[in-house]
Amino acid sequence: MSTAPFITPLSASSQDLSTGLRIGGDWTLRHYAQLEEQIATLSGQLKADAAVELDALGALDTAGAALLVQLLGSQRLAQLISQSSSLSSERRALLSSVGAAIGELGDSQPKARQPLWFELFGQIGQSIAELWQQLMALLGFIGLTLGSMFAILLRPSRWRVTSLVAHLQQSGLNAVPIVALLTFLVGAVVAFLGATVLADFGATVYTVDLVAFSFLREFGVLLTAILMAGRTASAFTAQIGSMKANEEIDAIRTLGLNPLELLVLPRVFALLIALPLLTFIAMLSGIIGGGVVCALSLDISPTMYLAMLQEDIELRHFLVGLGKAPLFAFLIAVIGCLEGFKVTGSAQSVGERTTSSVVQSIFVVIVLDALAALFLMEMGW
């Protein structure tokens, strides 16, 4: 049966609560609002040496204990706990815990707000530290992948041919339509813009060279790599991340298998084969798209278009573009698999890591392509 809480003076003949209090009834969450109002009216009236009796205290929970701390103070309550013999050990422990927690909270000073420039440089430093950690993790994973690749190349019994073919179909064959369509349209746009600009100089015939140079050296491999980063790297991360969330990778390790050989290497080998082939298709599609625009807008026949390509474009431009494809393929596959292994177990983590793999792959591809372009330009290649 619930008993109403009360705070009364020790002396029945006096209504002054400053000399002493008698606390009783149920100090629980049910009576919290009532007790809070009484304590608010008594604030500042109770003397430090006033006597307090807790013999009539009924039910008690953390809400009531917090109100007692608010009324008496954590130090005064600690003294009463040690002096009172009517309190059970459970109530002593509850009052001590709540009093200590509120006392620590009251003693802690709010931190002074840092200047804006300090927070800005702190965020920059934290971002640089995280970037360094990601770079070290990527380099370490690249080392593990290369070590595993060289370890199984001369051991055909450890090749995962079925998995390789399945990933080759998903990463390569299924991506042919989107790669061909995109590069065809981009080739047409490049030819149209080139013809528009070169028309002012009476050099529209060089639109053929513009399309060929751009797609053989840059656009073919770059557009394909960006598509693979958004399409394939995200798929690798989601697949491995879902396995990590479902503890399937732990099961693989329990069976004595190496997740790197089972999950990573087939995907890396598949992309190493698929990306150069897709790059070749992208080059052809881009050149064909430019040829269509030249035939329709510039009156350059397909025969003349092919003759100019054969006469003006050297084989080295094709080799330069195709030579970047294996490097981009390896990095895209490694980044996608690494981000999958970083998944912590929730659906949100899978989404975050998938986004991170796409962003990192595109960033790395563009940076490496820019560095390669500068290097090849300086070398005269």
Side-chain angles (χ1 to χ4, degrees):
M1 183 176 179
S2 176
T3 305
F6 59 86
I7 305 174
T8 58
L10 287 178
S11 176
S13 59
S14 174
Q15 295 298 322
D16 186 8
L17 299 177
S18 62
T19 56
L21 295 177
R22 186 169 183 267
I23 296 174
D26 295 340
W27 284 58
T28 58
L29 183 61
R30 179 181 179 181
H31 307 289
Y32 187 88
Q34 174 187 351
L35 288 169
E36 191 176 27
E37 293 180 0
Q38 296 183 28
I39 292 174
T41 59
L42 296 177
S43 178
Q45 299 183 18
L46 188 64
K47 297 181 180 179
D49 56 349
V52 178
E53 290 186 359
L54 301 176
D55 299 342
L57 188 62
L60 180 68
D61 59 10
T62 52
L67 290 173
L68 285 175
V69 174
Q70 181 180 348
L71 174 63
L72 304 175
S74 56
Q75 296 181 354
R76 175 62 173 154
L77 184 61
Q79 294 177 359
L80 291 174
I81 293 172
S82 60
Q83 296 173 2
S84 178
S85 59
S86 61
L87 293 176
S88 62
S89 58
E90 292 83 0
R91 292 184 177 181
R92 292 175 185 270
L94 176 61
L95 291 173
S96 299
S97 300
V98 175
I102 296 179
E104 292 177 0
L105 183 63
D107 294 338
S108 60
Q109 298 295 328
K111 295 183 179 179
R113 182 176 178 83
Q114 300 290 347
L116 182 61
W117 64 268
F118 191 85
E119 295 183 2
L120 176 62
F121 283 110
Q123 290 292 336
I124 294 175
Q126 183 178 358
S127 300
I128 293 176
E130 292 176 356
L131 179 62
W132 178 256
Q133 292 176 358
Q134 291 182 357
L135 180 60
M136 291 297 101
L138 178 60
L139 291 177
F141 194 74
I142 288 175
L144 289 175
T145 304
L146 289 175
S148 300
M149 288 175 62
F150 292 137
I152 71 168
L153 279 178
L154 301 179
R155 304 176 65 180
S157 61
R158 296 173 63 179
W159 295 358
R160 304 282 177 174
V161 180
T162 304
S163 180
L164 173 63
V165 173
H167 289 300
L168 189 58
Q169 179 185 0
Q170 296 174 3
S171 304
L173 186 61
N174 294 345
V176 170
I178 183 64
V179 171
L181 177 61
L182 178 66
T183 51
F184 177 86
L185 295 176
V186 173
V189 170
V190 170
F192 180 76
L193 292 178
T196 303
V197 174
L198 294 175
D200 297 336
F201 304 95
T204 54
V205 70
Y206 291 107
T207 303
V208 179
D209 295 341
L210 174 64
V211 173
F213 275 112
S214 61
F215 270 89
L216 290 178
R217 294 184 67 97
E218 297 296 336
F219 283 170
V221 64
L222 187 60
L223 291 175
T224 305
I226 292 175
L227 280 174
M228 290 298 100
R231 182 182 183 277
T232 306
S234 60
F236 289 173
T237 303
Q239 292 166 2
I240 297 178
S242 298
M243 296 180 68
K244 180 74 177 297
N246 294 330
E247 300 182 356
E248 295 179 38
I249 296 179
D250 295 334
I252 291 174
R253 292 193 177 99
T254 303
L255 293 174
L257 300 175
N258 186 355
L260 203 65
E261 294 184 9
L262 194 66
L263 302 176
V264 177
L265 294 187
R267 290 173 167 83
V268 173
F269 284 133
L271 207 57
L272 283 173
I273 297 172
L275 191 56
L277 297 177
L278 291 173
T279 299
F280 179 72
I281 294 173
M283 292 176 179
L284 289 180
S285 299
I287 292 175
I288 292 173
V292 171
V293 172
C294 290
L296 297 177
S297 301
L298 304 178
D299 294 329
I300 299 176
S301 65
T303 303
M304 182 180 178
Y305 188 82
L306 293 176
M308 292 184 65
L309 288 178
Q310 185 177 4
E311 180 181 352
D312 298 341
I313 308 302
E314 300 178 9
L315 180 62
R316 62 185 175 91
H317 302 300
F318 169 74
L319 296 178
V320 165
L322 200 63
K324 302 175 188 177
L327 177 60
F328 291 167
F330 179 79
L331 291 175
I332 290 171
V334 167
I335 290 174
C337 294
L338 174 60
E339 292 300 313
F341 281 109
K342 290 182 179 179
V343 172
T344 57
S346 62
Q348 180 181 359
S349 178
V350 174
E352 291 174 352
R353 290 303 171 184
T354 302
T355 304
S356 177
S357 69
V358 174
V359 173
Q360 289 185 44
S361 300
I362 295 176
F363 176 78
V364 169
V365 164
I366 293 177
V367 169
L368 288 180
D369 186 73
L371 294 177
L374 293 175
F375 174 76
L376 295 173
M377 182 180 65
E378 292 296 329
M379 296 299 294
W381 297 348

